[in-house]
Amino acid sequence: MRRTVDRLRHGLGLIGPRHGRHGLPVQQLDALALPIGDDGVVAGVDAEGQPAVLGINRPTPYDVVLIGGLWTAQVLALRSAATGARVAVETGRPQAWMQMVHAMGGGQNGLSVYDVGRVPPQGASAGTPVLVVRDCGMRPPRGRVVSGPWQSVLTLLPYLSPVAPRLLRQARLAGIQRVSPDEAAELGRTMGLSRTEVESLPALPDGVTLWCTDRDRQYVLTQPTDAEIGLLGTPRRMD
C-alpha cells in the first residue's frame, strides 16, 4: 500500500493488472499481416472494384497533372479537404468554385479560391498539408506557389496544350480522361503509353481516368457520393 501511495505522489499512476506478454517467434513474422490500405484520397475504384487511392499528402514535393474535366478536379479537392488538407484553388473562373466554397463554410473550413497569380504562401506542414489546385486554362502561367514538403500541386488542363509536355515531364502523377484520337496519339508518344491504352482514351466514359506514373497505369472510375452529386452533379468530362 505504501509503495502505491509513493507512486501516486510522483505522478506514476496506479499499478495495472498483470498479464502475460504477447510474443511472436521470428520465424512467424512473415505470417503477420495487417488489414491497412494505402493512405490518401480515394479517387474511385479500379478495374477489380477495389478502392484506388492517391497519396497526395506527402513530405516531399508532388506534382499532379489532370488532363480532364473540372468535375473530377473538384471531387479530388473536396475529398482532400475531407482528409484534413487545406485546399487553395488558383483559377480564372472563380464562379465555378463558389458553390463549393459556400458549402464548406465560406472558405473557413479548408478551401479558399484565389485569382491567377495571387495564391499566397500556404504554410504547409505535416499537421496541415496543402493541396494547390491550378485551374488556369490551357496555358497556365508558372505558379508563384509550387510544390514542396506537405504541399502538392494539381494542375488541371481541359485539353492537351503546348505546355502539357513540360508539365507532364515534371509531374509525378498524371491523369488522362477522354481526349481526341490525335491527342491520344500525342500522349502515347509523350508518356510511352501502350497501343491499347492509346486506343482506349478517345472512348473513356465520363468519370473514368487513366492514372499514370513512371511505372504503373490504372483505370479508375470515380463514383460520387449522394452529397457530391448534390453539390457537383453527376460525372462529366466537358464543363
Side-chain angles (χ1 to χ4, degrees):
M1 180 65 182
R2 181 180 180 82
R3 182 182 176 187
T4 300
V5 172
D6 290 341
R7 287 173 64 86
L8 287 172
R9 286 175 178 170
H10 289 84
L12 298 177
L14 293 172
I15 300 173
R18 297 293 188 246
H19 296 291
R21 296 181 178 232
H22 298 283
L24 183 70
V26 174
Q27 295 79 3
Q28 297 182 19
L29 283 177
D30 290 340
L32 183 64
L34 299 176
I36 300 177
D38 292 336
D39 183 24
V41 177
V42 178
V45 295
D46 60 20
E48 286 73 41
Q50 298 300 313
V53 178
L54 304 184
I56 291 178
N57 300 329
R58 295 170 178 257
T60 55
Y62 197 67
D63 287 282
V64 182
V65 172
L66 173 61
I67 301 173
L70 177 65
W71 184 89
T72 301
Q74 290 184 325
V75 169
L76 293 176
L78 198 63
R79 294 181 181 184
S80 295
T83 67
R86 287 189 291 109
V87 179
V89 179
E90 180 183 8
T91 181
R93 46 178 175 179
Q95 69 283 354
W97 292 86
M98 282 301 105
Q99 188 173 1
M100 283 183 61
V101 173
H102 296 322
M104 296 177 64
Q108 301 301 312
N109 293 311
L111 190 146
S112 302
V113 175
Y114 304 93
D115 291 333
V116 176
R118 297 300 182 89
V119 181
Q122 295 296 303
S125 67
T128 55
V130 173
L131 172 65
V132 178
V133 179
R134 306 201 69 214
D135 173 30
C136 306
M138 293 283 289
R139 296 174 179 265
R142 294 184 182 272
R144 293 176 53 193
V145 178
V146 298
S147 62
W150 302 110
Q151 179 166 291
S152 298
V153 174
L154 187 155
T155 300
L156 174 65
L157 297 177
Y159 301 101
L160 198 62
S161 72
V163 302
R166 173 179 60 84
L167 294 173
L168 290 170
R169 285 193 299 270
Q170 296 173 349
R172 300 276 301 279
L173 177 68
I176 309 170
Q177 297 188 319
R178 188 171 62 249
V179 294
S180 70
D182 289 344
E183 290 174 304
E186 179 63 27
L187 285 167
R189 290 188 291 269
T190 302
M191 302 179 63
L193 302 178
S194 69
R195 180 177 178 180
T196 300
E197 290 165 344
V198 170
E199 292 176 347
S200 74
L201 293 178
L204 289 181
D206 289 342
V208 175
T209 307
L210 175 62
W211 290 103
C212 308
T213 67
D214 290 339
R215 296 176 296 178
D216 299 313
R217 308 277 189 267
Q218 190 173 76
Y219 293 95
V220 174
L221 170 62
T222 301
Q223 297 174 315
T225 64
D226 290 341
E228 289 169 344
I229 291 175
L231 182 61
L232 304 174
T234 56
R236 59 190 180 277
R237 169 63 176 92
M238 304 297 293
D239 301 323

